[in-house]
Structures are given as structure tokens and as C-alpha cells.
Amino acid sequence: MAVLLTLVAFLPYLFSIIKGQTRPHVFTWVIWGLTTLIVFFAQYEAQAGWGAWPVGISGGITILVAMAAYCKRADASIHTVDWVFFLAALSSLPFWYVMSDPMWAVILLTTVDMLGFVPTLRKAYVFPYQESARFFVLFILRNTLVLLALEEYSIATALFPFAVNIGCLALLFLVLFRRYQLRTFHKQ
């Protein structure tokens, strides 16, 4: 069910990017794609079982979202802090290798992924209509199902989907609140 929700969330989101209706922050999606794919491999090693597969599929599609956003000239503004997040995500691989434990990679990647929300939160505050509230609702539901599908519960398997739920919830509330604010302001 979580894999199906991943597709149901991502496919309309991809099409809305292609149509120019949604303009995601490109670098955020690059960071999310990279972190999600690495987390998938860490979860797989940590015996997450079927619960890891929606994360892996999501990682692949997230890279497609970044590519589509780039091709459609979405928000590609890159700040120094964005590069810091990107390099931190890349550093998780040697960190995981040295520590020989996927838990530490997941902790680092989850932190980077949460920080990766910053460019999108910044953009969503200014342009709340360029983000899809429906997408984030579906992702909250999807990550809840991922948590329920885990075969082994540990920090390495559960932290990432739990944290992404919190990030999606925060982004959803920001988008809805800013839309409400802007509608109220324009009525005055």
C-alpha cells in the first residue's frame, strides 16, 4: 500500500511540474533524492524488510522530480547552506563505512534530509501556491504505512520515515497557513 501511495503522490506531482503548475526547489529535491536512496540501502542492511522498498522507490522518483524541476526551470536558487546540506549527505557514505553501522548513516541522513526542507520552506513561505498540499498529505499517509510495514524496528529503520512525516506535516501547515493569509490579505 505504501508503494502504491508513493506512486499516487509522485505521478501527479511530476505531471504538475511538467505542466508548470508546481515549481519545486531543485536543490532540495536533489538532496532529498540522495538522502532517501542512501537511507533505503541503510534500512535494507538493518533488516527493514518490505518497509524499506517504498523508501527506495521514493528515492528513485525523487531524483526524477529534481530532474523534471531542473528541466522546467523551477526554483534553482542555490545558497551556500544548500551546498553544506548536499556535502553532509555525501559524507554519510564514508561515515557509514567507518562506523560499520547503518544507524549512524540514517541519523546523519535524516538530519540532512530535515535540513533539506529549509530551501523549500523558505520558498513555500513566499510562494505557497507553487507547492502541492495534496502531495504532502499523501506522503504523510505513505510514511505512516512505511512505519507500520517495517519488519524490524530500530533507529536505523524507523527514524527516517518518522522524521519525514514531521517535515511534511510542517510544510503542509506552512503552505495552508500562508495560502489562508494571502487569501485574507487580498480580500481586504
Side-chain angles (χ1 to χ4, degrees), residues 42-52 146-159 161:
Q43 287 180 321
Y44 187 79
E45 183 178 309
Q47 308 302 315
W50 287 104
V146 166
L147 287 165
L148 294 172
L150 293 173
E151 292 178 20
E152 182 74 34
Y153 288 92
S154 67
I155 291 173
T157 62
L159 178 63

Side-chain angles (χ1 to χ4, degrees), residues 1-7 10 36-37 40 43 48-62 139 142-143 145-147 149-150 160-161:
M1 187 66 166
V3 169
L4 179 62
L5 277 175
T6 299
L7 297 174
F10 268 120
T36 303
L37 284 173
F40 161 70
Q43 287 180 321
W50 287 104
W53 286 103
V55 175
I57 291 167
S58 180
I61 298 173
T62 300
F139 242 66
R142 192 284 311 245
N143 282 317
L145 292 173
V146 166
L147 287 165
L150 293 173
F160 185 78

Side-chain angles (χ1 to χ4, degrees), residues 48-170:
W50 287 104
W53 286 103
V55 175
I57 291 167
S58 180
I61 298 173
T62 300
I63 297 296
L64 291 176
V65 167
M67 290 172 23
Y70 178 77
C71 289
K72 292 303 281 185
R73 305 287 187 241
D75 186 355
S77 60
I78 301 173
H79 302 274
T80 303
V81 71
D82 299 338
W83 281 107
V84 170
F85 300 152
F86 180 72
L87 294 174
L90 287 177
S91 73
S92 67
L93 292 171
F95 191 72
W96 179 4
Y97 178 77
V98 169
M99 299 304 271
S100 299
D101 185 350
M103 178 189 74
W104 295 107
V106 170
I107 290 171
L108 177 61
L109 289 165
T110 301
T111 302
V112 169
D113 203 73
M114 292 300 96
L115 293 173
F117 270 90
V118 172
T120 294
L121 288 166
R122 185 176 58 232
K123 185 185 94 40
Y125 182 82
V126 178
F127 303 109
Y129 289 98
Q130 290 183 1
E131 290 296 334
S132 169
R134 178 184 174 272
F135 175 82
F136 292 104
V137 167
L138 288 171
F139 242 66
I140 291 165
L141 180 56
R142 192 284 311 245
N143 282 317
T144 301
L145 292 173
V146 166
L147 287 165
L148 294 172
L150 293 173
E151 292 178 20
E152 182 74 34
Y153 288 92
S154 67
I155 291 173
T157 62
L159 178 63
F160 185 78
F162 178 77
V164 170
N165 254 4
I166 300 299
C168 286
L169 194 58

